[in-house]
Amino acid sequence: LNRYCYRERIAIATVAALTLVVAGLAAAHDMFLKPTRFFLEPGATLDLLLLNGNFTNSENSIARNRLLDVSVLGPNGRVRVDTAQWSVAGDTSSFSVLVGVAGTWQLGVSTRPNIIPLTGAEFNEYLASDGIPDVLAARKRDGELERGVRERYHKHVKALVQVGDTPSEQFSTALGYPAELVPLENPYTLRPGSVLRFRALVDGTPVANQHVQYGGRTASGGRIEMRAVRTDAQGVGQVRLSEAGTWYLMFISMTRLTGDSEADYESKWASLTFAIR
């Protein structure tokens, strides 16, 4: 009995360790553009971090040559940031911008495509953990769970900040990224408990039935549990912002490729961060 219990404990510990490793790998997928401040005065310098990992930590930095676009949109128009200002320190990328007049400012980063090979098990875990249940269901249906893949992925992340006390309409402007989340209400006019509607776009077109995850951190730093919603026929979804803090929305649109010599799937990632108080 003792020998059996010992072996059982070893087996449980091994499974737990593997689970933590897989969870760590899964957590390294997400990307968020996270300002160091979400509320600031006109004319201030805003520092932004690109977190390539999860909502609180970055696992890997993004090199300057991966950048397709870095944009700042305020009441006076859109400015594309010179990528020479892009900074990489360890596992985190960052840049700084000057904000001008009062309003709701939008910031965006779009990356170039990259290709990664994945084993069947790695791909399945990624689909399950990162909110791509439809592709996982299709692999189960077609008996392809053991099939390894090559994935072409690119990520398109945005953040909204409030400069001064006067909201403006730039929060709802699409930046033209391959995947994008566009809020239909200005988060900076909302209060805890309000509902925020948004539209999910892929290549500029609303996406019906898109699986969208959301969550964040409370004003005191606690975790806001991640949940998921589906968009309607017009690509519109809605989330209840239950409490003050920093929030994110994110989705991954993945399609199966045929006749492509480089990749089996293409994924287009989108995320949006903002705050309410």
Side-chain angles (χ1 to χ4, degrees), residues 53-171:
N54 57 47
F55 195 56
T56 55
N57 298 291
S58 188
E59 301 286 341
N60 302 100
S61 59
I62 299 297
R64 186 178 294 124
N65 62 7
R66 289 285 314 284
L67 300 174
L68 185 63
D69 178 78
V70 181
S71 284
V72 179
L73 175 66
N76 293 329
R78 180 175 182 172
V79 175
R80 285 181 166 82
V81 177
D82 184 351
T83 57
Q85 300 180 39
W86 193 258
S87 175
V88 174
D91 55 16
T92 304
S93 310
S94 63
F95 66 103
S96 299
V97 298
L98 289 174
V99 295
V101 300
T104 306
W105 288 62
Q106 183 177 173
L107 306 110
V109 173
S110 176
T111 68
R112 300 180 188 278
N114 197 20
I115 293 178
I116 183 172
L118 296 164
T119 67
E122 288 171 338
F123 191 51
N124 297 337
E125 174 59 29
Y126 152 39
L127 297 175
S129 63
D130 280 22
I132 321 173
D134 299 334
V135 175
L136 182 57
R139 281 171 62 81
K140 289 179 180 177
R141 181 195 66 220
D142 298 337
E144 295 185 337
L145 289 178
E146 296 183 5
R147 180 174 177 268
V149 304
R150 294 162 300 164
E151 179 199 10
R152 179 186 296 115
Y153 66 93
H154 37 122
K155 304 182 181 184
H156 315 282
V157 296
K158 305 195 302 185
L160 299 175
V161 300
Q162 180 60 41
V163 177
D165 298 324
T166 306
S168 61
E169 298 302 313
Q170 285 67 42
F171 73 92

